[in-house]
Coordinates of all heavy atoms in Angstrom, one line a residue:
M1 N 5.0 9.6 27.3 CA 4.4 8.3 27.1 C 4.3 8.0 25.6 O 3.8 8.8 24.8 CB 3.0 8.3 27.7 CG 2.9 7.7 29.1 SD 2.6 6.0 29.2 CE 0.9 5.8 28.6
S2 N 4.9 6.9 25.2 CA 4.8 6.6 23.8 C 3.7 5.6 23.5 O 3.2 4.9 24.5 CB 6.1 6.0 23.3 OG 6.4 4.8 24.0
E3 N 3.3 5.5 22.3 CA 2.2 4.6 21.9 C 2.7 3.1 22.0 O 3.8 2.8 21.7 CB 1.8 4.9 20.5 CG 0.3 5.1 20.3 CD 0.0 5.3 18.8 OE1 0.7 6.1 18.2 OE2 -0.8 4.6 18.3
I4 N 1.8 2.3 22.4 CA 2.1 0.8 22.6 C 1.5 0.0 21.4 O 0.3 0.3 21.1 CB 1.6 0.3 24.0 CG1 2.2 1.1 25.1 CG2 1.8 -1.2 24.1 CD1 3.7 0.8 25.4
C5 N 2.2 -0.8 20.9 CA 1.7 -1.7 19.8 C 0.7 -2.7 20.4 O 1.0 -3.4 21.4 CB 2.8 -2.4 19.1 SG 2.2 -3.7 18.0
T6 N -0.4 -2.8 19.9 CA -1.5 -3.8 20.4 C -1.1 -5.2 20.1 O -1.7 -6.1 20.7 CB -2.9 -3.5 19.8 OG1 -2.7 -3.4 18.4 CG2 -3.4 -2.1 20.3
K7 N -0.2 -5.4 19.2 CA 0.1 -6.8 18.8 C 1.2 -7.4 19.7 O 1.1 -8.6 20.1 CB 0.5 -6.8 17.4 CG 0.1 -8.0 16.6 CD 0.3 -7.9 15.1 CE 0.6 -9.2 14.5 NZ 1.0 -9.1 13.1
C8 N 2.3 -6.7 19.9 CA 3.4 -7.2 20.6 C 3.6 -6.6 22.0 O 4.4 -7.1 22.8 CB 4.7 -7.1 19.8 SG 5.2 -5.4 19.5
G9 N 2.9 -5.5 22.2 CA 3.0 -4.9 23.5 C 4.2 -4.0 23.7 O 4.4 -3.4 24.8
L10 N 5.0 -3.8 22.7 CA 6.2 -2.9 22.8 C 5.8 -1.5 22.4 O 4.9 -1.3 21.6 CB 7.3 -3.5 21.9 CG 8.0 -4.8 22.3 CD1 8.9 -5.2 21.2 CD2 8.8 -4.6 23.5
P11 N 6.6 -0.5 22.9 CA 6.4 0.8 22.4 C 6.6 0.9 20.9 O 7.4 0.1 20.4 CB 7.5 1.6 23.1 CG 7.9 0.8 24.3 CD 7.7 -0.6 23.9
K12 N 5.9 1.7 20.2 CA 5.9 1.8 18.7 C 7.3 1.9 18.2 O 7.6 1.3 17.1 CB 5.0 2.9 18.2 CG 3.5 2.7 18.4 CD 2.9 1.9 17.2 CE 1.4 1.8 17.3 NZ 0.8 0.9 16.5
E13 N 8.2 2.6 18.8 CA 9.5 2.8 18.3 C 10.4 1.5 18.3 O 11.4 1.4 17.6 CB 10.2 4.0 18.9 CG 10.5 3.9 20.4 CD 9.4 4.6 21.2 OE1 8.3 4.7 20.7 OE2 9.7 5.1 22.3
L14 N 10.0 0.6 19.2 CA 10.7 -0.7 19.3 C 10.0 -1.8 18.5 O 10.7 -2.8 18.2 CB 10.9 -1.1 20.7 CG 11.7 -0.2 21.7 CD1 11.6 -0.7 23.1 CD2 13.1 -0.1 21.2
C15 N 8.8 -1.6 18.2 CA 8.0 -2.6 17.6 C 8.4 -2.8 16.1 O 8.7 -1.9 15.4 CB 6.5 -2.2 17.7 SG 5.5 -3.0 16.4
V16 N 8.5 -4.1 15.7 CA 8.9 -4.4 14.4 C 7.8 -5.2 13.6 O 7.9 -5.7 12.5 CB 10.2 -5.2 14.3 CG1 11.4 -4.4 14.7 CG2 10.1 -6.5 15.1
C17 N 6.6 -5.2 14.2 CA 5.5 -6.0 13.6 C 5.2 -5.5 12.2 O 5.1 -6.4 11.3 CB 4.2 -5.8 14.4 SG 4.3 -6.5 16.1
E18 N 5.1 -4.2 12.0 CA 4.8 -3.7 10.6 C 6.0 -4.0 9.7 O 5.7 -4.3 8.5 CB 4.5 -2.3 10.7 CG 3.9 -1.8 9.3 CD 2.9 -0.6 9.4 OE1 1.9 -0.8 10.1 OE2 3.2 0.4 8.8
T19 N 7.2 -4.0 10.2 CA 8.4 -4.3 9.3 C 8.3 -5.7 8.9 O 8.5 -6.1 7.7 CB 9.7 -4.1 10.1 OG1 9.6 -2.8 10.7 CG2 10.9 -4.2 9.2
I20 N 8.0 -6.6 9.8 CA 7.9 -8.1 9.5 C 6.7 -8.3 8.5 O 6.9 -8.9 7.5 CB 7.7 -8.9 10.7 CG1 8.9 -8.8 11.6 CG2 7.3 -10.3 10.4 CD1 8.8 -9.4 13.0
A21 N 5.6 -7.6 8.8 CA 4.4 -7.7 7.9 C 4.7 -7.3 6.5 O 4.3 -7.9 5.6 CB 3.3 -6.9 8.5
K22 N 5.5 -6.2 6.4 CA 5.8 -5.7 5.1 C 6.7 -6.7 4.2 O 6.7 -6.5 3.0 CB 6.5 -4.4 5.2 CG 5.6 -3.2 5.5 CD 6.4 -1.9 5.7 CE 5.4 -0.7 5.9 NZ 6.1 0.4 6.4
E23 N 7.4 -7.5 4.9 CA 8.2 -8.5 4.2 C 7.4 -9.8 3.8 O 7.9 -10.6 3.1 CB 9.4 -8.8 5.0 CG 10.4 -7.7 5.0 CD 11.5 -7.8 6.1 OE1 11.4 -8.8 6.9 OE2 12.3 -6.9 6.2
S24 N 6.2 -9.9 4.3 CA 5.5 -11.1 4.1 C 4.1 -10.9 3.3 O 3.3 -11.7 3.4 CB 5.3 -11.9 5.4 OG 4.5 -11.1 6.2
Q25 N 4.0 -9.8 2.7 CA 2.8 -9.5 2.0 C 2.9 -10.1 0.6 O 3.9 -10.5 0.1 CB 2.5 -8.0 1.8 CG 2.5 -7.2 3.1 CD 1.3 -7.6 3.9 OE1 0.1 -7.4 3.5 NE2 1.5 -8.1 5.1
K26 N 1.7 -10.2 -0.1 CA 1.7 -10.6 -1.5 C 0.9 -9.5 -2.2 O -0.3 -9.6 -2.3 CB 1.0 -12.0 -1.6 CG 1.0 -12.5 -3.0 CD 2.4 -13.2 -3.4 CE 2.5 -13.4 -4.9 NZ 2.9 -12.3 -5.6
I27 N 1.6 -8.6 -2.7 CA 1.0 -7.4 -3.2 C 0.9 -7.5 -4.8 O 1.8 -7.8 -5.4 CB 1.7 -6.1 -2.8 CG1 1.7 -6.0 -1.3 CG2 1.1 -4.9 -3.5 CD1 2.6 -5.0 -0.7
I28 N -0.2 -7.1 -5.3 CA -0.4 -7.1 -6.7 C -0.7 -5.6 -7.1 O -1.6 -5.0 -6.6 CB -1.5 -8.0 -7.2 CG1 -1.0 -9.5 -6.9 CG2 -1.9 -7.8 -8.6 CD1 -2.1 -10.5 -7.1
V29 N 0.0 -5.2 -8.1 CA -0.2 -3.8 -8.7 C -0.8 -4.0 -10.1 O -0.2 -4.7 -10.9 CB 1.1 -3.0 -8.7 CG1 0.8 -1.7 -9.4 CG2 1.7 -2.9 -7.3
K30 N -1.9 -3.4 -10.4 CA -2.4 -3.6 -11.7 C -3.3 -2.3 -12.1 O -3.6 -1.5 -11.3 CB -3.3 -4.8 -11.9 CG -4.5 -4.8 -10.9 CD -5.2 -6.1 -11.0 CE -6.5 -6.1 -10.1 NZ -7.2 -7.4 -10.1
L31 N -3.5 -2.2 -13.4 CA -4.3 -1.1 -13.9 C -5.7 -1.6 -14.1 O -6.0 -2.7 -14.6 CB -3.8 -0.6 -15.2 CG -2.4 0.1 -15.1 CD1 -2.0 0.6 -16.5 CD2 -2.3 1.2 -14.1
V32 N -6.7 -0.8 -13.8 CA -8.1 -1.1 -14.1 C -8.7 0.1 -14.9 O -8.4 1.2 -14.6 CB -9.0 -1.4 -12.9 CG1 -8.6 -2.7 -12.3 CG2 -8.9 -0.3 -11.9
K33 N -9.6 -0.2 -15.8 CA -10.2 0.8 -16.5 C -11.6 1.1 -15.9 O -12.3 0.3 -15.5 CB -10.5 0.3 -18.0 CG -10.5 1.4 -19.0 CD -10.5 0.9 -20.4 CE -9.3 1.3 -21.1 NZ -9.3 0.8 -22.5
K34 N -11.7 2.4 -15.6 CA -12.9 2.9 -14.9 C -13.9 3.4 -15.9 O -13.6 3.5 -17.1 CB -12.6 3.9 -13.9 CG -11.5 3.5 -12.9 CD -11.9 2.4 -11.9 CE -12.8 3.1 -10.8 NZ -13.1 2.1 -9.8
K35 N -15.0 4.0 -15.4 CA -16.0 4.6 -16.2 C -15.3 5.7 -17.1 O -14.3 6.3 -16.6 CB -17.0 5.3 -15.4 CG -18.2 4.4 -15.0 CD -19.2 5.2 -14.2 CE -19.8 4.3 -13.1 NZ -20.5 5.1 -12.1
F36 N -15.9 6.0 -18.2 CA -15.4 7.1 -19.1 C -13.9 6.9 -19.5 O -13.2 7.8 -19.7 CB -15.6 8.4 -18.5 CG -16.9 8.6 -17.9 CD1 -17.1 8.8 -16.5 CD2 -18.1 8.6 -18.7 CE1 -18.4 9.0 -16.0 CE2 -19.4 8.8 -18.1 CZ -19.5 9.0 -16.8
N37 N -13.5 5.6 -19.6 CA -12.1 5.3 -20.0 C -11.0 5.8 -19.1 O -9.9 6.0 -19.5 CB -11.9 5.8 -21.5 CG -12.3 4.7 -22.5 OD1 -12.3 3.5 -22.1 ND2 -12.5 5.1 -23.7
K38 N -11.4 6.1 -17.9 CA -10.3 6.5 -17.0 C -9.6 5.3 -16.4 O -10.2 4.3 -16.2 CB -11.0 7.3 -15.8 CG -11.3 8.7 -16.3 CD -11.7 9.6 -15.1 CE -12.0 11.0 -15.6 NZ -12.9 11.7 -14.7
I39 N -8.3 5.5 -16.2 CA -7.4 4.5 -15.7 C -7.1 4.7 -14.2 O -6.9 5.8 -13.8 CB -6.1 4.4 -16.5 CG1 -6.3 4.2 -18.0 CG2 -5.1 3.4 -15.9 CD1 -6.6 2.8 -18.4
S40 N -7.2 3.6 -13.5 CA -6.8 3.7 -12.1 C -5.7 2.6 -11.8 O -5.7 1.5 -12.4 CB -8.0 3.4 -11.2 OG -8.7 4.6 -10.9
T41 N -4.8 2.9 -10.9 CA -3.8 1.9 -10.5 C -4.3 1.3 -9.2 O -4.6 2.0 -8.3 CB -2.5 2.6 -10.3 OG1 -2.1 3.4 -11.4 CG2 -1.4 1.6 -10.0
V42 N -4.4 0.0 -9.2 CA -4.9 -0.7 -8.0 C -3.7 -1.5 -7.3 O -3.0 -2.1 -8.0 CB -6.0 -1.7 -8.4 CG1 -6.4 -2.6 -7.2 CG2 -7.3 -1.0 -8.9
V43 N -3.6 -1.3 -6.0 CA -2.6 -2.0 -5.2 C -3.5 -2.9 -4.3 O -4.2 -2.4 -3.5 CB -1.8 -1.1 -4.4 CG1 -0.7 -1.8 -3.6 CG2 -1.1 0.0 -5.3
E44 N -3.4 -4.2 -4.5 CA -4.2 -5.1 -3.7 C -3.4 -6.2 -3.0 O -2.3 -6.5 -3.4 CB -5.4 -5.6 -4.4 CG -5.1 -6.4 -5.6 CD -6.3 -6.9 -6.3 OE1 -7.4 -6.3 -6.2 OE2 -6.2 -7.9 -7.1
G45 N -4.0 -6.8 -2.0 CA -3.4 -7.9 -1.4 C -2.7 -7.5 -0.1 O -2.0 -8.3 0.6
I46 N -2.9 -6.3 0.3 CA -2.3 -5.7 1.5 C -3.1 -6.2 2.7 O -4.3 -6.0 2.7 CB -2.2 -4.2 1.5 CG1 -1.2 -3.8 0.4 CG2 -1.7 -3.7 2.8 CD1 -1.2 -2.4 0.0
D47 N -2.5 -6.7 3.7 CA -3.2 -7.2 4.9 C -3.4 -6.0 5.8 O -2.6 -5.5 6.5 CB -2.4 -8.3 5.7 CG -3.2 -8.9 6.7 OD1 -4.3 -8.3 7.2 OD2 -2.9 -10.1 7.1
E48 N -4.7 -5.6 5.9 CA -5.1 -4.4 6.6 C -4.9 -4.5 8.1 O -4.8 -3.5 8.9 CB -6.6 -4.1 6.3 CG -6.8 -2.8 5.7 CD -8.2 -2.5 5.5 OE1 -9.0 -3.3 5.0 OE2 -8.7 -1.4 5.9
R49 N -4.9 -5.8 8.6 CA -4.7 -6.0 10.0 C -3.2 -5.7 10.4 O -2.9 -5.5 11.6 CB -5.0 -7.4 10.5 CG -6.5 -7.7 10.3 CD -6.8 -9.2 10.3 NE -6.0 -9.8 9.2 CZ -6.0 -11.1 9.0 NH1 -6.6 -11.9 9.8 NH2 -5.3 -11.6 8.0
E50 N -2.3 -5.7 9.4 CA -0.9 -5.6 9.8 C -0.3 -4.3 9.2 O 0.7 -3.8 9.7 CB -0.2 -6.8 9.2 CG -0.6 -8.1 9.9 CD 0.2 -9.3 9.4 OE1 0.4 -9.4 8.2 OE2 0.5 -10.1 10.2
I51 N -0.9 -3.8 8.2 CA -0.4 -2.6 7.5 C -1.4 -1.5 7.7 O -2.6 -1.7 7.5 CB -0.1 -2.8 6.0 CG1 0.8 -4.0 5.8 CG2 0.5 -1.6 5.4 CD1 2.2 -3.9 6.2
N52 N -0.9 -0.3 7.9 CA -1.8 0.9 8.0 C -2.2 1.3 6.6 O -1.4 2.1 6.0 CB -1.2 2.0 8.9 CG -2.2 3.1 9.1 OD1 -3.2 3.3 8.3 ND2 -2.0 3.8 10.2
L53 N -3.3 0.9 6.1 CA -3.6 1.1 4.7 C -3.9 2.6 4.4 O -3.5 3.1 3.4 CB -4.9 0.3 4.4 CG -5.3 0.0 2.9 CD1 -4.2 -0.9 2.3 CD2 -6.6 -0.6 2.8
R54 N -4.5 3.2 5.3 CA -4.8 4.7 5.1 C -3.5 5.5 5.0 O -3.4 6.4 4.2 CB -5.6 5.2 6.2 CG -7.1 4.9 6.1 CD -7.9 5.4 7.3 NE -9.2 4.7 7.3 CZ -10.2 5.2 6.6 NH1 -10.0 6.3 5.9 NH2 -11.4 4.6 6.6
E55 N -2.6 5.2 5.9 CA -1.3 5.9 5.9 C -0.5 5.6 4.6 O 0.0 6.5 3.9 CB -0.4 5.4 7.0 CG -0.7 6.0 8.4 CD -0.4 7.5 8.3 OE1 0.7 7.9 7.8 OE2 -1.3 8.3 8.6
L56 N -0.6 4.4 4.1 CA 0.1 4.0 2.9 C -0.6 4.7 1.7 O 0.1 5.2 0.8 CB 0.1 2.5 2.7 CG 0.8 1.9 1.5 CD1 2.3 2.3 1.6 CD2 0.6 0.4 1.5
A57 N -1.9 4.7 1.7 CA -2.6 5.4 0.6 C -2.3 6.9 0.6 O -2.1 7.4 -0.5 CB -4.1 5.2 0.7
K58 N -2.2 7.5 1.7 CA -1.9 8.9 1.8 C -0.5 9.2 1.2 O -0.3 10.1 0.5 CB -1.9 9.3 3.3 CG -2.5 10.7 3.6 CD -2.9 10.8 5.0 CE -1.7 11.3 5.9 NZ -2.1 11.4 7.3
K59 N 0.4 8.3 1.6 CA 1.8 8.5 1.1 C 1.8 8.4 -0.5 O 2.4 9.2 -1.1 CB 2.7 7.4 1.7 CG 4.1 7.7 1.4 CD 5.0 6.6 2.2 CE 6.4 6.9 1.8 NZ 7.3 7.2 2.9
L60 N 1.2 7.4 -1.0 CA 1.2 7.2 -2.4 C 0.5 8.3 -3.1 O 1.0 8.8 -4.1 CB 0.4 5.8 -2.8 CG 1.2 4.6 -2.4 CD1 0.3 3.3 -2.6 CD2 2.5 4.4 -3.2
K61 N -0.6 8.8 -2.5 CA -1.4 9.9 -3.2 C -0.5 11.2 -3.2 O -0.6 11.9 -4.2 CB -2.7 10.1 -2.4 CG -3.7 9.1 -2.8 CD -5.1 9.5 -2.3 CE -5.3 9.3 -0.8 NZ -6.7 9.6 -0.4
S62 N 0.2 11.4 -2.1 CA 1.0 12.6 -2.1 C 2.2 12.5 -3.0 O 2.6 13.5 -3.7 CB 1.5 13.0 -0.7 OG 2.4 12.1 -0.2
Q63 N 2.8 11.3 -3.2 CA 3.9 11.0 -4.1 C 3.5 11.3 -5.6 O 4.2 11.9 -6.4 CB 4.4 9.6 -4.0 CG 5.2 9.3 -2.8 CD 6.6 9.8 -2.9 OE1 7.1 10.0 -4.0 NE2 7.2 10.0 -1.7
F64 N 2.3 10.9 -5.9 CA 1.8 11.0 -7.3 C 0.9 12.2 -7.5 O 0.4 12.4 -8.6 CB 1.1 9.7 -7.7 CG 1.9 8.5 -7.6 CD1 1.4 7.3 -7.0 CD2 3.2 8.4 -8.1 CE1 2.2 6.2 -6.8 CE2 3.9 7.2 -8.0 CZ 3.4 6.1 -7.4
A65 N 0.7 12.9 -6.4 CA -0.2 14.0 -6.4 C -1.5 13.7 -7.2 O -2.0 14.4 -8.1 CB 0.4 15.2 -7.1
C66 N -2.1 12.6 -6.7 CA -3.4 12.2 -7.3 C -4.4 11.8 -6.3 O -4.1 11.8 -5.1 CB -3.1 10.9 -8.2 SG -2.7 9.4 -7.2
G67 N -5.6 11.6 -6.7 CA -6.7 11.2 -5.8 C -6.7 9.7 -5.6 O -6.0 9.0 -6.4
G68 N -7.4 9.2 -4.7 CA -7.5 7.8 -4.5 C -8.3 7.4 -3.3 O -8.7 8.2 -2.5
T69 N -8.5 6.0 -3.2 CA -9.2 5.5 -2.1 C -8.5 4.3 -1.5 O -7.7 3.7 -2.1 CB -10.7 5.1 -2.5 OG1 -10.5 4.1 -3.5 CG2 -11.5 6.2 -2.9
A70 N -8.8 4.0 -0.2 CA -8.2 2.9 0.4 C -9.3 2.2 1.2 O -9.9 2.8 2.1 CB -7.1 3.3 1.4
K71 N -9.6 0.9 0.9 CA -10.5 0.1 1.7 C -10.4 -1.4 1.4 O -9.9 -1.7 0.3 CB -12.0 0.6 1.5 CG -12.5 0.5 0.1 CD -13.9 0.9 0.0 CE -14.3 0.9 -1.5 NZ -15.7 1.5 -1.7
E72 N -10.7 -2.2 2.3 CA -10.7 -3.6 2.2 C -9.3 -4.2 1.6 O -9.4 -5.0 0.7 CB -11.9 -4.1 1.4 CG -13.2 -4.0 2.2 CD -14.4 -3.7 1.3 OE1 -14.2 -4.0 0.1 OE2 -15.4 -3.3 1.8
G73 N -8.3 -3.7 2.1 CA -6.9 -4.2 1.7 C -6.6 -3.7 0.3 O -5.7 -4.3 -0.4
R74 N -7.2 -2.7 -0.2 CA -7.0 -2.3 -1.6 C -6.9 -0.8 -1.7 O -7.7 -0.1 -1.2 CB -8.3 -2.8 -2.4 CG -8.3 -2.6 -3.8 CD -9.7 -3.1 -4.3 NE -10.1 -2.5 -5.6 CZ -10.0 -3.1 -6.7 NH1 -9.7 -4.4 -6.8 NH2 -10.3 -2.5 -7.8
I75 N -5.9 -0.4 -2.4 CA -5.7 1.0 -2.6 C -5.9 1.3 -4.1 O -5.4 0.6 -5.0 CB -4.3 1.5 -2.2 CG1 -4.1 1.3 -0.7 CG2 -4.1 3.0 -2.6 CD1 -2.7 1.6 -0.3
E76 N -6.7 2.3 -4.4 CA -7.0 2.7 -5.8 C -6.5 4.1 -6.0 O -6.9 5.0 -5.3 CB -8.5 2.6 -6.0 CG -8.8 1.9 -7.4 CD -10.3 1.7 -7.6 OE1 -10.8 0.8 -7.0 OE2 -10.8 2.5 -8.4
L77 N -5.6 4.3 -7.0 CA -5.1 5.6 -7.3 C -5.5 6.0 -8.7 O -5.5 5.2 -9.6 CB -3.5 5.5 -7.2 CG -2.9 5.1 -5.9 CD1 -1.5 4.7 -6.1 CD2 -3.0 6.2 -4.9
Q78 N -5.9 7.3 -8.8 CA -6.3 7.8 -10.1 C -5.1 7.9 -11.0 O -4.1 8.5 -10.6 CB -7.1 9.1 -9.9 CG -8.4 8.9 -9.3 CD -9.0 10.3 -8.8 OE1 -8.5 11.3 -9.1 NE2 -10.1 10.2 -8.1
G79 N -5.2 7.4 -12.2 CA -4.2 7.5 -13.2 C -3.3 6.3 -13.2 O -3.5 5.4 -12.5
D80 N -2.4 6.3 -14.2 CA -1.5 5.2 -14.4 C -0.2 5.4 -13.7 O 0.7 6.2 -14.1 CB -1.3 5.0 -15.9 CG -0.3 3.8 -16.2 OD1 0.2 3.2 -15.2 OD2 -0.1 3.5 -17.4
H81 N 0.0 4.7 -12.5 CA 1.3 4.9 -11.8 C 1.9 3.5 -11.6 O 2.8 3.3 -10.7 CB 1.0 5.5 -10.4 CG 0.2 6.7 -10.4 ND1 0.7 7.9 -10.9 CD2 -1.2 7.0 -10.1 CE1 -0.3 8.8 -10.9 NE2 -1.4 8.3 -10.4
K82 N 1.5 2.6 -12.5 CA 2.0 1.2 -12.3 C 3.5 1.0 -12.1 O 4.0 0.3 -11.3 CB 1.5 0.4 -13.5 CG 1.4 -1.1 -13.3 CD 0.7 -1.8 -14.4 CE 1.6 -2.1 -15.5 NZ 1.1 -3.1 -16.4
Q83 N 4.2 1.8 -13.0 CA 5.7 1.6 -13.0 C 6.3 2.2 -11.7 O 7.4 1.7 -11.3 CB 6.3 2.2 -14.2 CG 5.8 1.7 -15.5 CD 5.8 0.1 -15.6 OE1 6.8 -0.5 -15.1 NE2 4.8 -0.5 -16.2
K84 N 5.7 3.2 -11.1 CA 6.4 3.9 -10.0 C 5.9 3.4 -8.7 O 6.7 3.5 -7.7 CB 6.1 5.4 -10.1 CG 6.8 6.1 -11.2 CD 6.5 7.6 -11.2 CE 6.8 8.2 -12.5 NZ 5.8 9.3 -12.8
V85 N 4.8 2.8 -8.6 CA 4.2 2.3 -7.4 C 5.2 1.3 -6.6 O 5.4 1.5 -5.4 CB 2.8 1.6 -7.5 CG1 2.4 0.8 -6.3 CG2 1.8 2.6 -7.8
K86 N 5.8 0.4 -7.4 CA 6.7 -0.5 -6.8 C 7.8 0.2 -6.1 O 8.2 -0.2 -5.0 CB 7.1 -1.5 -7.8 CG 8.0 -2.7 -7.2 CD 8.2 -3.8 -8.2 CE 9.1 -4.9 -7.5 NZ 9.3 -6.0 -8.3
D87 N 8.4 1.1 -6.8 CA 9.5 1.9 -6.2 C 9.2 2.5 -4.8 O 9.9 2.4 -3.9 CB 10.0 3.0 -7.1 CG 10.7 2.4 -8.3 OD1 11.1 1.2 -8.3 OD2 10.8 3.2 -9.4
I88 N 8.0 3.1 -4.8 CA 7.6 3.8 -3.6 C 7.3 2.7 -2.5 O 7.7 3.0 -1.4 CB 6.3 4.6 -3.9 CG1 6.4 5.5 -5.1 CG2 5.9 5.4 -2.6 CD1 7.4 6.7 -4.9
L89 N 6.7 1.6 -2.9 CA 6.4 0.6 -1.9 C 7.7 0.1 -1.3 O 7.8 -0.2 -0.1 CB 5.6 -0.5 -2.5 CG 4.2 -0.2 -2.8 CD1 3.5 -1.4 -3.6 CD2 3.3 0.2 -1.6
V90 N 8.7 -0.1 -2.1 CA 10.0 -0.6 -1.7 C 10.7 0.4 -0.8 O 11.2 0.0 0.3 CB 10.9 -1.0 -2.9 CG1 12.3 -1.3 -2.4 CG2 10.4 -2.2 -3.6
Q91 N 10.6 1.7 -1.2 CA 11.1 2.7 -0.3 C 10.4 2.7 1.1 O 11.0 3.1 2.1 CB 10.9 4.1 -0.9 CG 11.9 4.5 -1.9 CD 11.5 5.8 -2.7 OE1 10.8 6.6 -2.1 NE2 11.9 5.9 -3.9
T92 N 9.1 2.4 1.1 CA 8.4 2.4 2.3 C 8.7 1.2 3.2 O 8.4 1.1 4.4 CB 6.9 2.3 2.0 OG1 6.6 3.3 0.9 CG2 6.0 2.7 3.2
G93 N 9.4 0.2 2.6 CA 9.8 -0.9 3.4 C 9.3 -2.3 3.0 O 9.7 -3.3 3.6
F94 N 8.6 -2.3 1.9 CA 8.1 -3.6 1.4 C 9.2 -4.3 0.6 O 10.0 -3.6 -0.1 CB 6.9 -3.4 0.5 CG 5.6 -3.0 1.3 CD1 5.3 -1.6 1.4 CD2 4.8 -3.9 1.8 CE1 4.2 -1.2 2.1 CE2 3.7 -3.5 2.5 CZ 3.4 -2.2 2.7
A95 N 9.3 -5.6 0.7 CA 10.3 -6.3 0.0 C 9.9 -6.4 -1.5 O 8.8 -6.7 -1.8 CB 10.5 -7.7 0.6
P96 N 10.9 -6.1 -2.4 CA 10.6 -6.1 -3.8 C 9.9 -7.4 -4.3 O 9.0 -7.4 -5.1 CB 11.9 -5.9 -4.5 CG 12.8 -5.4 -3.4 CD 12.3 -5.8 -2.1
E97 N 10.3 -8.6 -3.7 CA 9.8 -9.8 -4.2 C 8.4 -10.1 -3.8 O 7.7 -11.0 -4.2 CB 10.7 -11.0 -3.8 CG 10.9 -11.2 -2.2 CD 12.1 -10.4 -1.7 OE1 12.5 -9.4 -2.4 OE2 12.6 -10.7 -0.6
T98 N 7.8 -9.2 -2.9 CA 6.5 -9.4 -2.5 C 5.5 -8.6 -3.4 O 4.3 -8.7 -3.2 CB 6.2 -8.9 -1.0 OG1 6.5 -7.5 -1.0 CG2 7.1 -9.7 -0.1
I99 N 6.1 -7.9 -4.3 CA 5.2 -7.0 -5.1 C 5.3 -7.5 -6.6 O 6.3 -7.6 -7.2 CB 5.7 -5.5 -5.1 CG1 5.9 -5.1 -3.6 CG2 4.8 -4.6 -5.9 CD1 6.8 -3.9 -3.5
E100 N 4.1 -7.8 -7.1 CA 4.0 -8.3 -8.4 C 3.2 -7.2 -9.3 O 2.1 -6.9 -9.0 CB 3.2 -9.6 -8.4 CG 3.1 -10.2 -9.8 CD 2.2 -11.4 -9.9 OE1 2.0 -12.1 -8.8 OE2 1.6 -11.7 -11.0
V101 N 4.0 -6.7 -10.3 CA 3.3 -5.7 -11.1 C 2.8 -6.4 -12.4 O 3.5 -7.1 -13.1 CB 4.4 -4.6 -11.6 CG1 3.7 -3.6 -12.5 CG2 4.9 -3.9 -10.3
Q102 N 1.5 -6.3 -12.6 CA 0.9 -7.1 -13.7 C 0.7 -6.3 -14.9 O 0.7 -5.1 -14.9 CB -0.5 -7.6 -13.2 CG -0.4 -8.6 -12.2 CD -1.7 -9.3 -11.8 OE1 -2.8 -8.7 -12.1 NE2 -1.7 -10.4 -11.2
Ligands
ZN201 ZN1 4.3 -4.6 17.5

């Protein structure tokens, strides 16, 4: 028995909901300064109803071997990964034109 998508009712391996969603996001990547002058990379604008934010955060964290959090459509990664985040997101299936690096 395979998992069924709650949105389209198809088995997960046939479902393209997340693929479509990934092409229609408006993602912003930027750096923010945290306490004690620490830098974090913020990825925001991800629609949590359509994208598995936790999975994505997990992937980014393992790619950069850094800590981070994911909540309310926003992923925060410790350190400056601004230049590489876009590549990883594109590899994951997001369309390059949906990602704006500030
Ligand atoms: Zn689906």
